[in-house]
Amino acid sequence: MDTKDSISWNGLISGFSQSGHYEEALNVFNQMNKVEVEPSVFTFTSAVSAAGNLAEVKQGKLIQAMIFKRGFDSEIEISNALITMYAKCGSISDSKRKFLEMAEKNDVTWNAMITAYSQHGDGLQAVNHFENMKKSGSVPNHVTFIGVLTACSHVGLVNEGICYFESMKKEHGLVPKPEHYACVVDLLSRAGLLSRARKFVEEMPIKPDPMVWRTLLSSCIVHKNIELGELAAKNLLDLEPEDSASYVLLSNMYAVSRRWNYRDQTREMMKNRGVRKEPGRSWIEVMNKIHAFFVGDKLHPLADEIYEYLEELNNRAADIGYVQDHNSLLNETEMEQKDPTLYVHSEKLAVTFALLSLPDGIPIRVMKNLRVCSDCHNWIKFISRISNREIVVRDAYRFHHFENGNCSCKDFW
């Protein structure tokens, strides 16, 4: 295009952001500023959204400063985007501050805050905001109930969650969607109520989708319910035969139950079907640079120092009660044959690197593409205590805020 106006730039920024190309969206936003095209509310909303999805809190704050300078800070669409952006970057306090500053709030505002509290494990605040939302006159929608049901699931509010689910149709005229049914299955199965979860699935008025079966299978690993886990896995593999997560979950269920032959058969089936597992990866920003780690990673320039300090941290943690979880996915023979450093999870490496690299008092913020395991979760609790650091970990499902040996999830996640 020979001539590009703000609509042209906004279309490109929004297109990239909505299709998941967040870095490209921010690059175009920066180019737009360089050629001095005046951004609009629409521009800033898309840019803030992109920064949030990348967990680029520094970029987000820079954009917020530009918003304030241009007098857009009172615009409700931008404020809603900022609440979500800060929540996705791990700063729930900034989300709360922005929420309280807003003179006017709409349903998107309330949904953003309910979802933020839900993602950060504060289910009681999420439920409290839901009740305040109804009192304010804002009307709950499908997005609202996903946030509320997830919040109830994460803190074990089973009865409350069931009541909210039933109220969707009775009180609000909303027909539950597949994701709402999956939330209820998660609510019941997380609490160990697997029989109720199975009955709920069997009585669903719609056909259970992969999300429902995957949720059920995940809980069967925790509670070692092989029979129900195999049923869930069969349905899941029928629906998504090329999804690696399904095979990994089934394999892990057999491993924690020490059924090694079945575990090996599952891995072989996965291999024969040409399905590849997504590797676990954690990353952290230090000095404006992203440092990424994989399991057993030794490619980082400071790898020797990281592993040496990790051993020191392990010893200090053990001195105050940390015991490594040996509920391994490997049998004893495999463990004896392998170098133990090959199984150091990526989040441990990222946290150790952060402690080596960041000044005292600076919170550590780690992102992970998969769910954090129970051993790493427990280890980080001890590390937050001995290092006197706030450590925030965002995994594939939620945020964990570690401080003084405790986690915001209260070990229920």
Side-chain angles (χ1 to χ4, degrees):
M1 297 174 65
D2 295 328
T3 304
K4 306 175 183 68
D5 58 12
S6 63
I7 297 176
S8 311
W9 288 100
N10 289 344
L12 197 55
I13 295 169
S14 174
F16 275 133
S17 183
Q18 292 181 20
S19 59
H21 298 277
Y22 309 117
E23 290 184 6
E24 289 89 340
L26 291 179
N27 287 337
V28 175
F29 173 74
N30 292 330
Q31 292 171 29
M32 179 181 181
N33 290 319
K34 286 179 181 178
V35 298
E36 299 183 348
V37 174
E38 190 64 22
S40 65
V41 170
F42 190 83
T43 317
F44 284 123
T45 302
S46 297
V48 168
S49 176
N53 282 298
L54 287 173
E56 286 277 3
V57 68
K58 290 181 181 178
Q59 179 82 46
K61 287 185 175 181
L62 288 174
I63 298 172
Q64 186 177 14
M66 296 172 64
I67 291 168
F68 184 81
K69 183 178 179 181
R70 285 167 172 79
F72 288 146
D73 51 302
S74 61
E75 294 288 343
I76 193 168
E77 294 87 353
I78 291 179
S79 296
N80 291 341
L82 286 168
I83 290 173
T84 300
M85 185 273 289
Y86 279 118
K88 288 184 175 181
C89 291
S91 185
I92 189 69
S93 59
D94 285 320
S95 294
K96 180 181 177 181
R97 186 179 302 111
K98 188 62 192 174
F99 177 82
L100 294 175
E101 288 174 356
M102 296 175 65
E104 180 185 355
K105 301 176 178 68
N106 59 15
D107 59 331
V108 178
T109 312
W110 288 103
N111 287 347
M113 207 62 219
I114 291 169
T115 301
Y117 277 122
S118 176
Q119 289 176 336
H120 285 263
D122 197 340
L124 296 179
Q125 278 289 0
V127 170
N128 183 51
H129 275 64
F130 175 66
E131 296 298 335
N132 288 336
M133 176 186 186
K134 292 191 291 184
K135 292 176 184 177
S136 74
S138 291
V139 179
N141 55 29
H142 286 93
V143 176
T144 315
F145 279 99
I146 290 176
V148 172
L149 293 172
T150 302
C152 291
S153 177
H154 283 168
V155 293
L157 298 175
V158 177
N159 293 332
E160 292 85 344
I162 295 297
C163 287
Y164 285 134
F165 175 77
E166 292 176 347
S167 75
M168 287 184 66
K169 198 168 184 178
K170 292 179 180 178
E171 298 178 20
H172 303 284
L174 297 172
V175 178
K177 296 182 178 181
E179 49 266 40
H180 298 102
Y181 286 100
C183 286
V184 175
V185 173
D186 189 47
L187 173 73
L188 295 171
S189 54
R190 276 180 189 268
L193 305 172
L194 294 180
S195 296
R196 282 185 64 183
R198 178 174 184 169
K199 186 173 185 292
F200 179 83
V201 172
E202 291 172 345
E203 295 177 352
M204 283 173 54
I206 61 175
K207 184 178 180 180
D209 68 354
M211 191 186 309
V212 168
W213 293 117
R214 190 178 297 108
T215 299
L216 196 58
L217 177 55
S218 296
S219 295
C220 289
I221 297 173
V222 176
H223 299 288
K224 298 181 180 180
N225 189 319
I226 302 297
E227 180 186 355
L228 184 55
E230 289 179 335
L231 173 66
K234 180 183 182 303
N235 284 279
L236 186 55
L237 291 174
D238 286 343
L239 292 170
E240 293 187 341
E242 297 180 357
D243 179 40
S244 64
S246 307
Y247 298 88
V248 172
L249 288 171
L250 180 59
S251 172
N252 290 350
M253 182 185 70
Y254 287 133
V256 298
S257 303
R258 309 191 72 78
R259 298 190 176 192
W260 306 115
N261 289 337
Y262 290 100
R263 180 209 63 174
D264 294 342
Q265 290 173 13
T266 303
R267 291 181 175 179
E268 188 65 25
M269 177 172 59
M270 183 178 180
K271 180 180 177 181
N272 292 338
R273 293 181 178 181
V275 180
R276 298 184 63 181
K277 176 187 175 184
E278 179 184 7
R281 180 169 64 99
S282 298
W283 60 97
I284 184 169
E285 181 179 349
V286 174
M287 299 296 288
N288 297 318
K289 183 179 179 182
I290 301 296
H291 297 261
F293 299 88
F294 292 89
V295 61
D297 200 338
K298 295 183 179 179
L299 297 177
H300 194 278
L302 297 178
D304 291 340
E305 292 91 331
I306 292 171
Y307 278 94
E308 182 179 346
Y309 191 45
L310 175 61
E311 185 175 359
E312 178 186 332
L313 290 173
N314 287 338
N315 292 333
R316 291 172 62 187
D319 289 340
I320 59 172
Y322 167 68
V323 178
Q324 185 175 2
D325 182 4
H326 290 290
N327 188 12
S328 174
L329 301 182
L330 302 173
N331 59 41
E332 294 177 0
T333 302
E334 291 169 333
M335 287 296 292
E336 291 173 357
Q337 293 174 346
K338 301 289 186 178
D339 178 357
T341 63
L342 295 176
Y343 302 106
V344 177
H345 283 187
S346 59
E347 53 266 55
K348 287 188 178 181
L349 296 175
V351 169
T352 303
F353 170 71
L355 289 170
L356 282 171
S357 307
L358 293 174
D360 292 342
I362 301 296
I364 294 171
R365 302 183 188 277
V366 174
M367 308 293 168
K368 184 171 184 183
N369 64 331
L370 304 177
R371 182 180 185 272
V372 63
C373 75
S374 57
D375 176 63
C376 288
H377 185 272
N378 191 37
W379 181 83
I380 298 172
K381 287 200 301 181
F382 279 95
I383 299 306
S384 71
R385 178 179 168 189
I386 63 179
S387 65
N388 195 29
R389 288 286 191 102
E390 178 189 359
I391 302 174
V392 180
V393 177
R394 186 182 87 172
D395 68 7
Y397 295 93
R398 63 182 293 174
F399 281 89
H400 296 267
H401 293 257
F402 300 90
E403 199 166 7
N404 298 321
N406 298 304
C407 180
S408 59
C409 74
K410 298 178 177 58
D411 299 336
F412 191 90
W413 86 99

